[in-house]
């Protein structure tokens, strides 16, 4: 489905599910496997031929802004590799302005992830862990103070699509699954 390049609400839902699962499983052994799966999916999306009319950049950038602060220290090399095709897309003559700005905002986030990882590895902030319990979103300038209107709309649309498309049986199974995840 992802390799076809079609715009499909299931892709957004799947990516959001993986990102949320990755955050929920932080500190558990399965977290590494989910992180690897999420990164493979992101790599698949950025390797698709760029289409300004059907761009996957919004999905990739938003997912990375949602959980990149956790992915980066745990999967540094794989996360860094995502920026190579993104940089190539950004300089394409047919790359639209919106996608260029989203990629630039993600690059700012990466800088803050690198600084935080460096600070923690140097024992800064009293050895503060990279683990976070609160929701963190990055704005276009890399700050953590707000979510852009487009990103907010992305989440609202994605969750609405998931809610609209879930049968009663699937909803029950999903709630059962969520109940089994240990809370921290």
């Amino acid at each position: 489905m992802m390799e076809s390049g079609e715009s499909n609400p299931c892709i957004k839902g799947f990516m959001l599910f993986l990102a949320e699962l990755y955050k929920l499983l932080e500190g558990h052994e399965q977290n590494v496997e989910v992180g690897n799966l999420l990164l493979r999916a992101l790599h698949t999306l950025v390797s698709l031929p760029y289409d300004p009319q059907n761009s996957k950049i919004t999905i990739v950038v938003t997912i990375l802004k949602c959980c990149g602060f956790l992915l980066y220290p745990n999967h540094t090399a794989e996360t860094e590799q995502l920026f190579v095709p993104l940089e190539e897309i950004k300089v394409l003559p047919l790359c639209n302005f919106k996608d260029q700005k989203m990629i630039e905002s993600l690059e700012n986030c990466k800088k803050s992830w690198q600084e935080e990882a460096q600070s923690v590895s140097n024992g800064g902030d009293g050895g503060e862990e990279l683990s976070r319990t609160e929701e963190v979103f990055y704005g276009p300038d890399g700050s953590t103070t707000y979510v852009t209107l487009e990103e907010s709309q992305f989440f609202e649309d994605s969750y609405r699509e998931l809610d609209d498309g879930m049968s009663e049986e699937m909803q029950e199974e999903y709630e059962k699954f969520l109940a089994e995840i240990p809370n921290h």
Side-chain angles (χ1 to χ4, degrees), residues 10-134:
C10 291
I11 293 174
K12 286 197 294 188
F14 175 69
M15 298 301 290
L16 277 171
F17 171 76
L18 286 178
E20 289 298 323
L21 184 60
Y22 182 76
K23 291 191 309 185
L24 286 170
L25 290 174
E26 184 183 5
H28 296 322
E29 145 183 346
Q30 299 89 347
N31 180 268
V32 173
E33 294 172 37
V34 173
N36 289 333
L37 181 60
L38 177 59
L39 284 162
R40 276 199 316 267
L42 289 168
H43 280 280
T44 300
L45 284 177
V46 297
S47 68
L48 293 171
Y50 178 75
D51 178 0
Q53 305 305 87
N54 189 20
S55 174
K56 303 288 190 260
I57 299 301
T58 302
I59 296 172
V60 173
V61 169
T62 307
I63 294 301
L64 282 172
K65 285 184 175 185
C66 178
C67 66
F69 67 95
L70 291 173
L71 275 172
Y72 189 82
N74 297 324
H75 303 271
T76 305
E78 298 90 340
T79 307
E80 289 276 351
Q81 289 171 0
L82 279 170
F83 286 88
V84 173
L86 286 171
E87 184 61 35
E88 291 170 0
I89 290 169
K90 186 175 90 173
V91 297
L92 288 174
L94 64 126
C95 183
N96 63 46
F97 182 74
K98 177 190 89 152
D99 288 343
Q100 289 174 345
K101 288 300 171 194
M102 290 187 80
I103 293 169
E104 288 173 10
S105 74
L106 187 62
E107 291 167 344
N108 288 332
C109 293
K110 183 178 93 166
K111 290 175 191 169
S112 71
W113 302 335
Q114 291 169 329
E115 290 169 4
E116 185 171 337
Q118 183 66 31
S119 170
V120 170
S121 69
N122 289 337
D125 296 327
E128 177 186 333
E129 293 182 21
L130 286 175
S131 171
R132 298 187 182 148
T133 56
E134 74 277 4

Side-chain angles (χ1 to χ4, degrees), residues 1-8 11 44-45 48-49 54 56:
M1 171 177 62
M2 289 177 63
E3 292 173 357
S4 70
E6 295 175 15
S7 179
N8 188 327
I11 293 174
T44 300
L45 284 177
L48 293 171
N54 189 20
K56 303 288 190 260

Side-chain angles (χ1 to χ4, degrees), residues 8-17 20 58-60 62-63 150-166 174:
N8 188 327
C10 291
I11 293 174
K12 286 197 294 188
F14 175 69
M15 298 301 290
L16 277 171
F17 171 76
E20 289 298 323
T58 302
I59 296 172
V60 173
T62 307
I63 294 301
E150 182 173 291
E151 291 162 349
S152 175
Q153 189 64 48
F154 173 85
F155 284 115
E156 287 175 27
D157 291 348
S158 298
Y159 287 122
R160 189 178 318 109
E161 288 166 1
L162 284 175
D163 288 342
D164 292 346
M166 223 182 264
Y174 181 67

